């Protein structure tokens, strides 16, 4: 898509159908997460905004990347749009939001902020699906952190200087997403 430096609101809506559970009535309306961040933060968008996710197939949904530069005091985020390329890769995070990853197991983890180098250890200790621990290699620009927002999984990619403090990355992302959330249904 088009990257803009406009601070006008950009509507983003993720919707998924509830899963049916035996012996329970499931809601007929899809769960939704409606955000309205400034357009300058949205760097990539794929799929149809507001489409209902009907399966777990990756190409069957809608996703958005929100990218921001973190201030030196770790308190504020500014959009990368309009910044020179060399500044876009220093102290920056990408928040990857999708309706196809809404029901991930990451939400069951205490704190729900899991850096990639501990993912397998944490999930394996709980007897959950086995994941690999993936160290943040020197040749990688960013490393991944998985986070939960009311049952919606948020995949974060943080530059190495920020990855050293994953809790702070998750706090910044949560504050940003909560600030610009119009509505977010809790997924049980």
């Amino acid at each position: 898509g088009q990257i803009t430096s406009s601070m006008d609101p950009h509507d983003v809506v993720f919707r998924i159908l509830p899963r049916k559970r035996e012996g329970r009535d499931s809601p007929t309306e899809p769960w939704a997460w409606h955000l309205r961040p400034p357009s300058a933060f949205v760097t990539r968008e794929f799929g149809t905004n507001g489409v209902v996710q009907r399966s777990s197939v990756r190409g069957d949904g809608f996703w958005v990347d929100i990218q921001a530069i973190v201030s030196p005091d770790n308190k504020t985020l500014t959009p990368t749009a309009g910044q020179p390329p060399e500044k876009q890769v220093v102290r920056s995070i990408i928040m990857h939001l999708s309706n196809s990853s809404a029901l991930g197991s990451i939400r069951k983890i205490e704190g729900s902020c899991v850096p990639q180098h501990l993912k397998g250890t944490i999930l394996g200790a709980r007897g959950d699906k086995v994941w690999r621990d993936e160290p943040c290699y020197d040749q990688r620009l960013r490393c991944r952190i998985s986070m939960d927002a009311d049952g919606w999984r948020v995949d974060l990619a943080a530059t190495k200087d920020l990855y050293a403090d994953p809790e702070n990355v998750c706090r910044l992302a949560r504050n940003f997403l909560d600030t610009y959330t119009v509505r977010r249904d809790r997924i049980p």
Side-chain angles (χ1 to χ4, degrees), residues 20-183:
K20 293 188 179 199
R21 297 183 183 152
E22 285 188 41
R24 291 188 183 180
D25 291 331
S26 67
T28 54
E29 291 297 313
W31 286 313
W33 185 1
H34 180 187
L35 296 111
R36 195 173 283 147
S39 297
F41 284 97
V42 178
T43 57
R44 291 195 309 166
E45 187 172 11
F46 178 82
T48 304
N49 196 344
V51 69
V52 176
Q53 176 68 13
R54 298 182 183 283
S55 72
S56 60
V57 177
R58 273 261 186 232
D60 185 32
F62 170 61
W63 59 262
V64 168
D65 283 347
I66 294 172
Q67 189 168 351
I69 296 171
V70 178
S71 66
D73 66 359
N74 286 326
K75 293 185 179 178
T76 58
L77 300 178
T78 56
T80 57
Q83 299 292 330
E86 60 276 5
K87 191 168 181 182
Q88 292 183 25
V89 296
V90 177
R91 296 189 54 77
S92 67
I93 59 174
I94 298 171
M95 296 171 248
H96 179 81
L97 309 170
S98 166
N99 62 0
S100 63
S101 62
L103 298 167
S105 61
I106 209 72
R107 67 185 167 177
K108 300 173 190 169
I109 298 171
E110 179 143 351
S112 298
C113 182
V114 182
Q116 71 184 40
H117 75 277
L118 294 177
K119 196 170 190 178
T121 302
I122 292 170
L123 292 172
R126 284 194 11 239
D128 205 350
K129 181 179 175 184
V130 177
W131 293 79
R132 285 184 300 137
D133 287 341
E134 297 178 19
C136 183
Y137 297 109
D138 288 339
Q139 65 267 27
R140 288 189 181 164
L141 174 63
R142 292 185 177 86
C143 296
R144 293 186 311 260
I145 302 168
S146 297
M147 182 184 99
D148 170 81
D150 290 334
W152 296 81
R153 193 177 82 212
V154 178
D155 294 316
L156 305 171
T159 52
K160 289 185 185 174
D161 53 339
L162 297 171
Y163 182 78
D165 186 1
E167 289 296 331
N168 186 54
V169 173
C170 289
R171 182 187 57 76
L172 288 166
R174 273 191 191 99
N175 288 345
F176 179 90
L177 296 171
D178 288 348
T179 297
Y180 295 107
T181 291
V182 176
R183 170 189 167 206

